[in-house]
Amino acid sequence: MSGTDVLATIGTRGSPLAMAQAHEVRDRLARAHNVAPERFAIRPIRTSGDAIQDRALLDAGGKGLFTKELEEALLAGSIDFAVHSSKDVPTFLPDATWLSSFLPREDARDAFISHKAKSLSELPAGAVVGTASLRRQAMVLRLRPDLKVNVIRGNVQTRLRKLAHGEADATLLALAGLKRVGLEKEATRIFEIDEFLPAVGQGAIAVESRRDDTRINALVAAIGDADTEVALNAERSFLALLDGSCRTPIGGHCRVDGDRIHFRGLIISPDGKDFYETAREGARAEAAELGADAARELRDRAGEKFFTLFGGV
């Protein structure tokens, strides 16, 4: 093999944030394997989720729209692995693929952004909050039922531009995404985890590869972060037992502290009026089971009518 041969082709969405994440994966791989970054090619792929800009994703098939075309390319062999925002990855993957590596997690918190108020609590009654997230909509209305929520779609830069043009009085974005594209300064206020529970997987970058590709799996294992994997095991098992789509607003976050984990989970109605929360603590080896147990508790407490009314499984 020559020094310029490509070791692997990385598939990614083409947004500035997705490309930043792909470059982070590439740079970490280059350092881990002591090769030039150019040995890893990056192939942008336009997904259905990127193409749909006129309505909420839940009306078009859910968050799997951000991964479908990437998985098709992965299964066809035109890319060697895909890089995703973990919060965009559906609960259930094709049988032939798996999440083979998670990078160290960035800040999982949500950011409030507005040119008219310093915080959500300071927005005047009737102000419009723009967001594409059903979870953020529900949690905003839980805290401020007097506000209005409109759908704003697009990448980070597009949403900030729409806010600047007056399409909304405020918006909410993942702090991790702002940091990765160098726009952290746009955050007016940062919510704490306890007051505004993030989406499952928020802040974590996931690598999806083919299960039987031992060479690629060994390559990407070198950049995996064990604590992030443990946290995501808890969060994704929680999500799996509640709702595989994005029709029920769900929040979940796991903090890993040495050999222990601390998990919080929430389900909430889209109007923010009905919600159920729970928490778990335990050994990191039990992360997946603790997340699943938390989900079973919330299903029992909320009842199946909750999921029927609010678009669950």
Side-chain angles (χ1 to χ4, degrees):
M1 177 182 290
S2 73
T4 58
D5 287 336
V6 172
L7 290 172
T9 299
I10 304 169
T12 177
R13 294 167 58 199
S15 72
L17 174 56
M19 291 296 289
Q21 293 179 165
H23 278 87
E24 182 176 344
V25 169
R26 185 189 70 169
D27 292 345
R28 287 178 179 270
L29 284 169
R31 290 195 298 270
H33 297 289
N34 195 29
V35 298
E38 291 71 27
R39 302 288 298 279
F40 298 95
I42 296 176
R43 180 186 171 194
I45 295 173
R46 185 170 172 80
T47 69
S48 300
D50 296 311
I52 299 168
Q53 296 292 324
D54 59 346
R55 59 195 187 278
L57 287 180
L58 64 90
D59 296 327
K63 64 184 177 183
L65 295 171
F66 282 130
T67 60
K68 178 176 176 287
E69 285 80 4
L70 289 166
E71 288 175 341
E72 289 173 350
L74 181 60
L75 293 170
S78 57
I79 61 174
D80 293 302
F81 60 88
V83 174
H84 305 296
S85 293
S86 293
K87 67 183 181 65
D88 292 335
V89 180
T91 314
F92 303 103
L93 303 176
D95 291 341
T97 74
W98 68 310
L99 297 182
S100 49
S101 187
F102 295 96
L103 269 59
R105 194 174 203 168
E106 237 307 352
D107 199 317
R109 294 177 295 174
D110 280 301
F112 172 84
I113 305 170
S114 176
H115 305 298
K116 300 180 179 180
K118 294 181 180 180
S119 67
L120 185 68
S121 63
E122 293 187 16
L123 282 172
V128 175
V129 177
T131 177
S133 163
L134 198 60
R135 172 190 61 88
R136 290 178 180 138
Q137 167 192 307
M139 295 184 73
V140 164
L141 293 175
R142 173 188 172 185
L143 296 170
R144 289 289 310 272
D146 58 321
L147 298 178
K148 298 178 181 178
V149 180
N150 287 347
V151 173
I152 286 186
R153 290 288 322 284
N155 61 42
V156 171
Q157 290 83 351
T158 298
R159 296 188 205 190
L160 292 176
R161 185 167 60 251
K162 289 180 177 180
L163 181 66
H165 289 169
E167 293 189 29
D169 298 306
T171 191
L172 292 88
L173 293 170
L175 179 59
L178 291 172
K179 286 186 172 184
R180 288 182 175 127
V181 295
L183 291 172
E184 181 183 1
K185 67 181 186 302
E186 297 291 335
T188 307
R189 183 179 180 275
I190 298 168
F191 290 104
E192 293 305 320
I193 296 290
D194 289 344
E195 66 176 326
F196 210 93
L197 203 60
V200 163
Q202 186 158 303
I205 296 173
V207 171
E208 183 180 7
S209 58
R210 294 180 291 271
R211 288 184 180 275
D212 62 357
D213 195 331
T214 55
R215 182 182 73 87
I216 292 298
N217 289 330
L219 271 176
V220 300
I223 61 171
D225 181 74
D227 284 354
T228 304
E229 182 176 355
V230 168
L232 269 290
N233 283 342
E235 294 173 25
R236 287 179 62 78
S237 66
F238 173 74
L239 184 65
L241 268 70
L242 289 174
D243 187 355
S245 69
C246 57
R247 291 184 174 272
T248 301
I250 296 171
H253 181 264
C254 180
R255 177 172 60 85
V256 180
D257 183 13
D259 291 332
R260 306 289 292 176
I261 69 160
H262 307 268
F263 174 81
R264 285 189 60 217
L266 164 79
I267 56 175
I268 184 170
S269 61
D271 62 8
K273 294 180 180 178
D274 299 303
F275 58 90
Y276 300 87
E277 296 179 87
T278 191
R280 291 290 187 281
E281 293 187 19
R284 64 185 288 145
E286 301 172 347
E289 179 50 39
L290 289 169
D293 187 62
R296 285 189 289 267
E297 178 198 328
L298 294 189
R299 285 205 84 101
D300 289 343
R301 286 171 55 195
E304 293 308 308
K305 185 178 180 181
F306 180 91
F307 296 92
T308 301
L309 285 174
F310 304 127
V313 293

